[in-house]
Amino acid sequence: VDYGLAEDVQDAFRRFMEKGKRYFVPRTFLSLERSIQVIRSAVGVPVLAHPFQYHLPDAELRVLLEKCIEFGLLGIECLYSGYSREQSSYLLHLADEYGLLTTGGSDFHGDAKPHISLGTGTGDLQVPFCFLTALDHPEEDRNPFRVFPYFKKSRIFSQYGISISESVIKSSCFA
């Protein structure tokens, strides 16, 4: 683009890098198992991002989660600027049911997605800071709701309709 060989990035991809073009390189994909192994070996925390993008019904999403957990998955993205409150509530409850850490993201990608703001996404997304701190030691406590007692009076509960058991209320991300 800078040298005038293409009008923009999309034009460059179309002209030079699509299948059948001179600079096309076929994409390779890691299996779920290998992806999780690589993340864990790098001391990362494997999280299933954007679970609704798979367009799976509940039963099939549960099968996917169970398979990923078998491979070592530790978390699921529950808060996302593209999710409705009902979708986030559903994922928060799935995380609780499966003992997964909860994460959230704005899907900020800089200039590639200029309509999305860092941290707030396309609206009023607010991912609790404790979601991040829970990732520091993911193996110590896989109960994703351990972070919620601090927020029990905040809008996260009313916003997502979360009810908390007594055992969960006894723990805190500040413990």
Side-chain angles (χ1 to χ4, degrees), residues 85-101:
R85 289 180 176 152
E86 294 77 22
Q87 287 174 313
S88 288
S89 178
Y90 166 76
L91 292 173
L92 287 163
H93 288 287
L94 272 182
D96 185 37
E97 180 180 335
Y98 285 97
L100 294 169
L101 293 167

Side-chain angles (χ1 to χ4, degrees), residues 77 79-82 104-108 116-122 125 127:
E77 182 180 47
L79 304 181
Y80 175 66
S81 58
S106 61
D107 206 27
F108 176 76
I116 297 176
S117 300
L118 179 63
T120 58
T122 57
L125 175 72
V127 178

Side-chain angles (χ1 to χ4, degrees), residues 17-36:
M17 295 187 253
E18 284 184 354
K19 190 172 185 175
K21 303 293 180 174
R22 183 176 182 160
Y23 299 103
F24 172 75
V25 176
R27 291 176 19 173
T28 57
F29 296 94
L30 296 176
S31 67
L32 282 172
E33 182 175 18
R34 182 69 181 134
S35 298
I36 292 169

Side-chain angles (χ1 to χ4, degrees), residues 100-156:
L100 294 169
L101 293 167
T102 53
T103 68
S106 61
D107 206 27
F108 176 76
H109 288 254
D111 291 341
K113 293 186 178 182
H115 64 287
I116 297 176
S117 300
L118 179 63
T120 58
T122 57
D124 64 351
L125 175 72
Q126 291 186 1
V127 178
F129 185 74
C130 284
F131 278 26
L132 176 62
T133 60
L135 296 175
D136 285 342
H137 305 283
E139 298 293 347
E140 288 180 12
D141 185 352
R142 292 193 44 200
N143 180 348
F145 288 115
R146 77 197 253 292
V147 302
F148 283 164
Y150 177 74
F151 295 99
K152 68 182 176 182
K153 294 182 181 175
S154 76
R155 68 186 193 96
I156 194 167

Side-chain angles (χ1 to χ4, degrees), residues 60-96:
E60 290 179 30
L61 180 56
R62 288 172 181 276
V63 168
L64 174 63
L65 276 175
E66 290 165 8
K67 188 53 98 174
C68 289
I69 290 167
E70 179 183 317
F71 296 146
L73 183 78
L74 295 175
I76 185 170
E77 182 180 47
C78 297
L79 304 181
Y80 175 66
S81 58
Y83 294 165
S84 68
R85 289 180 176 152
E86 294 77 22
Q87 287 174 313
S88 288
S89 178
Y90 166 76
L91 292 173
L92 287 163
H93 288 287
L94 272 182
D96 185 37

